[in-house]
Amino acid sequence: MNRLTAKVVVIGAGFAGLAAAATLFEAGFQHVQVLEAMGRVGGRVHTIRPFGSDIIELGANWIHGQEGNPLFQLGQEHGLLSECFSASTKMCLPGSVTLSDYFFKEDGRFLQAEDVEPVCAHFSQLTSRAFDSELEDRHRCLSLGGYLDDAFAESPLAATEDGLKVFEWCKRCECTDEASSSLYEVSASQIGHYVALEGGFFNSLGPGGYQAFIDILLKRLPAGVVMTNTPVANIEWALNGGDQGKEPTHPVRVVCEDGQSFEADHVMVTVSLGVLKQRAALMFRPPLPDTKMAAIERLDIGTVDKIYLRFPERFWPEDCAGIQLVWDKGPEDAAVYNSELEGEAWKETWYKKVCGFDTVARHANVLCGWITGREALHMETLEDEEVGEVCERLLRSFTGWSVPEVSQVLISRWGCDPYVRGSYTFVPPGVLAEKEHGALAAPLPLKPSSADRKPLQVLFAGEATHVNFYTTTHGAYLSGIREAQRLINFYA
């Protein structure tokens, strides 16, 4: 068998799956089939145009860094980046506050830059220590939230009421980065395995958005390679006997929900960690090894949702890049979070997880709110109209401005999407990131021991399988190339 005859089935047509398929075809593989459960390609990339000709990103929104980022390089090569891209993002994240961001307290008071910027800058320094693996020994066993609480308490900034409230706002924003319900669910020490590429966390996408990157990959594939609306039911691997005892031609069989089946020498699984958590126990026959099931269980995936609000006209000042909400007692306050963790009271105040509402590139009258974790999952159960009304009230009560009624509401619902079940991966306290990401990425069988146990029957890709670039689009992309290269090397 060689590259010309080997049959490969790729499950999932997101960045990982498409990058893998394109890499295999370019290396000479002739029989590659991509199966996608959704009616569209892109996975957690979802670029749409609901408000006119300009794009809205329901999913992936940013390129994380420039240096060494293959997607940034791809964007440069094909002219997919904005002509005036900046290393700063319109989303107001800790450490990136600009004079254009308007901060309001719950009582309607406007916070001056001198009240906000020192706290955000210090918060950024503290998180950088964790990402740079420079934590003190006493903090290494803590959650990220526990470490930040302890370290911030030592700062003079913690002595002021406004300082504490802005600090809590910073923690809510960091939850968006981590896709967690709370920073108390994220490991402080293991976050250092994530590698931030030079060039910043920014939105530099051109008018085609992330879909333009997906389209480039699709152009590298022959027609008919990607089958949409084809969810997979089972993956039968380690086949060593067929009907009437006949030896199967191929060691793996993929059975789809519509009854179609595909025999393969290699199957590459690129579904999200959320789908694996929900379906892995029943999807694979024989069951996955204990080490892989343990990795699926120990790593976690959270939900980050967007709330787009389209207004009949702009009501915020021209120099306003975002309206940020600073609560008196928010869901990231340790006492509030711990007291409500086991109860249902937090559902009544789900909106307190909204960090703020940011302006949207190319849309003069649209704002985007961000919400994460359990509150995002609860919001997904509500009607769009109800969410829009709540957001209107928040904007009016915090700013005191004359806010018109929302003319259109658009909400992402990644948590309840049956083919995604979350946004991206994070590492909980007590979990060893390198070990579990590695176990998740390991191909099956783990130890081919005989002629009937052909190697590389089932491979795994996706952002959750990358120890350094999990959560990112380039992590997904690189993981697909990694697994394709594994097959290329096998047939070298």
Side-chain angles (χ1 to χ4, degrees):
M1 187 183 300
N2 54 43
R3 298 181 189 182
L4 296 176
T5 58
K7 288 189 175 182
V8 182
V9 173
V10 178
I11 301 175
F15 264 127
L18 294 178
T23 302
L24 289 172
F25 273 110
E26 290 168 357
F29 286 77
Q30 299 293 308
H31 303 284
V32 181
Q33 186 73 61
V34 181
L35 306 180
E36 170 54 53
M38 298 183 187
R40 61 175 182 82
V41 297
R44 282 167 275 180
V45 167
H46 194 189
T47 305
I48 58 176
R49 290 175 168 82
F51 304 142
S53 59
D54 290 314
I55 61 117
I56 287 289
E57 299 285 11
L58 273 185
N61 211 88
W62 287 284
I63 291 178
H64 296 69
Q66 301 177 38
E67 189 174 329
N69 188 327
L71 293 183
F72 180 81
Q73 295 166 2
L74 187 69
Q76 282 188 314
E77 292 170 5
H78 295 274
L80 307 181
L81 304 179
S82 171
E83 293 180 359
C84 56
F85 78 86
S86 169
S88 62
T89 172
K90 278 188 174 294
M91 182 180 178
C92 193
L93 295 174
S96 63
V97 175
T98 71
L99 294 177
S100 295
D101 295 296
Y102 281 49
F103 283 78
F104 292 91
K105 292 181 63 177
E106 192 172 349
D107 61 8
R109 183 165 66 88
F110 177 76
L111 283 172
Q112 301 295 328
E114 56 265 29
D115 298 320
V116 175
E117 291 180 348
V119 179
C120 291
H122 186 55
F123 186 91
S124 181
Q125 292 173 354
L126 295 179
T127 54
S128 292
R129 290 180 196 169
F131 279 101
D132 294 339
S133 299
E134 295 176 351
L135 296 177
E136 298 178 24
D137 290 342
R138 63 193 175 103
H139 290 145
R140 293 189 61 80
C141 62
L142 300 179
S143 68
L144 183 58
Y147 150 65
L148 290 169
D149 286 345
D150 188 70
F152 186 74
E154 299 173 354
S155 168
L157 295 168
T160 67
E161 180 182 352
D162 286 349
L164 287 170
K165 291 177 181 179
V166 173
F167 171 69
E168 294 299 327
W169 175 85
C170 289
K171 287 162 66 182
R172 275 184 291 140
C173 285
E174 186 65 25
C175 283
T176 304
D177 274 7
E178 308 306 329
S180 60
S181 286
S182 166
L183 298 186
Y184 306 112
E185 300 175 351
V186 181
S187 171
S189 62
Q190 296 300 296
I191 207 169
H193 286 283
Y194 176 87
V195 174
L197 299 178
E198 293 296 323
F201 178 72
F202 59 94
N203 182 358
S204 60
L205 301 179
Y210 253 129
Q211 183 61 45
F213 290 75
I214 295 295
D215 291 341
I216 291 295
L217 293 177
L218 288 173
K219 290 176 182 177
R220 292 161 57 183
L221 301 177
V225 166
V226 180
M227 296 176 59
T228 56
N229 294 306
T230 311
V232 169
N234 300 112
I235 300 170
E236 302 170 359
W237 61 287
L239 299 177
N240 55 12
D243 296 335
Q244 288 85 45
K246 294 180 181 179
E247 189 75 12
T249 306
H250 303 280
V252 192
R253 181 184 299 115
V254 177
V255 181
C256 300
E257 291 182 2
D258 62 5
Q260 293 185 85
S261 65
F262 299 83
E263 289 192 349
D265 299 293
H266 314 280
V267 171
M268 190 181 302
V269 180
T270 73
V271 302
S272 73
L273 177 62
V275 170
L276 289 175
K277 281 181 172 293
Q278 184 180 52
R279 301 191 56 198
L282 298 177
M283 178 183 287
F284 295 89
R285 301 175 181 175
L288 294 177
D290 290 345
T291 53
K292 193 169 286 287
M293 286 301 297
I296 293 171
E297 179 181 350
R298 288 170 183 160
L299 292 171
D300 214 340
I301 183 170
T303 298
V304 178
D305 279 321
K306 302 177 186 178
I307 307 170
Y308 285 102
L309 307 173
R310 187 188 189 197
F311 293 91
E313 67 274 337
R314 179 189 182 114
F315 63 86
W316 51 94
E318 287 294 331
D319 67 344
C320 177
I323 300 166
Q324 310 305 330
L325 312 181
V326 180
W327 294 93
D328 290 339
K329 288 287 186 180
E332 268 306 297
D333 180 277
V336 174
Y337 179 78
N338 291 328
S339 66
E340 294 183 351
L341 186 59
E342 301 301 327
E344 299 290 310
W346 59 270
K347 290 184 179 180
E348 299 299 319
T349 56
W350 62 268
Y351 47 82
K352 287 191 173 186
K353 202 56 174 290
V354 178
C355 302
F357 298 90
D358 302 305
T359 58
V360 179
R362 304 182 184 89
H363 291 272
N365 59 336
V366 177
L367 294 176
C368 179
W370 294 77
I371 186 169
T372 65
R374 60 182 184 179
E375 288 84 1
L377 291 173
H378 178 69
M379 182 219 59
E380 291 184 8
T381 68
L382 306 177
E383 297 294 330
D384 289 8
E385 183 179 4
E386 179 181 352
V387 174
E389 290 174 352
V390 169
C391 291
E392 280 179 27
R393 290 198 297 270
L394 292 179
L395 287 166
R396 292 189 185 111
S397 64
F398 272 80
T399 67
W401 296 341
S402 178
V403 179
E405 291 187 4
V406 176
S407 56
Q408 195 170 349
V409 181
L410 178 67
I411 297 170
S412 67
R413 289 182 167 86
W414 293 108
C416 66
D417 188 313
Y419 303 126
V420 183
R421 296 297 182 188
S423 298
Y424 37 86
T425 307
F426 66 90
V427 181
V431 173
L432 298 177
E434 192 168 16
K435 173 186 175 183
E436 304 305 347
H437 285 297
L440 189 59
L444 301 177
L446 297 179
K447 295 180 179 180
S449 56
S450 63
D452 65 345
R453 298 282 283 180
K454 295 180 180 180
L456 305 183
Q457 293 182 27
V458 186
L459 304 97
F460 294 83
E463 55 88 14
T465 70
H466 204 299
V467 66
N468 300 128
F469 300 140
Y470 64 94
T471 82
T472 67
T473 50
H474 65 272
Y477 178 87
L478 287 170
S479 73
I481 293 177
R482 178 196 68 210
E483 295 309 306
Q485 193 61 51
R486 199 190 297 268
L487 288 177
I488 293 169
N489 293 342
F490 178 69
Y491 288 103

